[in-house]
């Protein structure tokens, strides 16, 4: 089975994913429901259907048959997908380069972001011990 795509989402893909991410866990939407939710964009139904099909092929959404329609849900949360993308981006780098990238990333972090990072690191260390 192919790996989930970690390429950045396009504008329309993101808009579709936002609809799916907004659902309670386990809930699904049909193409028609996503199309209706995006009515302010004046998209063709077939455009939304194509985007959902592509997201399914990229393994970013899962789908199940419901009569003649498909029902879609996000394969991972926004946070899980973002973390996976970051890990994939850092994976080919050696340890020194990863540290440099992370330092550049954190250079402009707010105090709140740094506090969240410290809390997250403390939680990870607690889980590992």
């Amino acid at each position: 089975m192919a790996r989930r795509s970690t390429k950045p989402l396009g504008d329309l893909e993101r808009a579709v994913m936002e609809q799916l991410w907004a659902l309670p866990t386990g809930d699904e939407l049909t193409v028609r429901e996503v199309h209706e939710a995006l009515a302010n964009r004046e998209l063709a139904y077939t455009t939304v259907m194509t985007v959902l099909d592509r997201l399914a092929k990229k393994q970013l959404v899962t789908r199940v048959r419901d009569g003649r329609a498909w029902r879609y849900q996000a394969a991972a949360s926004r946070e899980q997908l973002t973390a996976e993308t970051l890990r994939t981006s850092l994976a080919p780098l050696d340890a020194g380069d990863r540290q440099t990238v992370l330092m550049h990333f954190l250079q402009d972090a707010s105090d709140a972001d740094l506090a969240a990072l410290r809390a997250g690191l403390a939680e990870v260390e607690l889980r590992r011990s």
Side-chain angles (χ1 to χ4, degrees):
M1 181 175 264
R3 280 185 53 168
R4 182 177 10 243
S5 174
T6 55
K7 292 181 182 177
L9 296 172
D11 181 55
L12 186 51
E13 288 176 324
R14 178 161 297 283
V16 168
M17 290 301 297
E18 291 294 341
Q19 297 304 312
L20 298 174
W21 283 326
L23 295 173
T25 302
D27 282 6
E28 303 161 331
L29 292 176
T30 63
V31 174
R32 183 159 314 286
E33 291 167 329
V34 174
H35 181 252
E36 289 169 1
L38 299 174
N40 62 327
R41 290 179 161 252
E42 299 181 17
L43 298 167
Y45 175 90
T46 54
T47 299
V48 176
M49 184 173 56
T50 299
V51 169
L52 282 162
D53 183 61
R54 287 182 182 163
L55 289 169
K57 288 177 180 170
K58 292 178 180 182
Q59 297 185 359
L60 297 175
V61 302
T62 59
R63 62 184 174 188
V64 293
R65 231 354 147 175
D66 184 11
R68 294 181 55 197
W70 288 102
R71 298 193 67 76
Y72 293 86
Q73 70 178 199
S77 71
R78 178 187 298 108
E79 296 79 10
Q80 289 168 321
L81 181 60
T82 302
E84 196 172 309
T85 301
L86 180 58
R87 279 192 296 274
T88 300
S89 296
L90 293 174
L93 304 176
D94 66 34
D97 288 342
R98 277 194 302 274
Q99 181 177 356
T100 301
V101 168
L102 291 170
M103 291 303 297
H104 281 289
F105 177 74
L106 295 171
Q107 182 175 346
D108 297 324
S110 68
D111 290 342
D113 288 343
L114 292 173
L117 181 60
R118 284 186 196 97
L121 287 171
E123 186 175 329
V124 167
E125 289 175 356
L126 185 62
R127 288 180 186 174
R128 288 186 177 182
S129 60

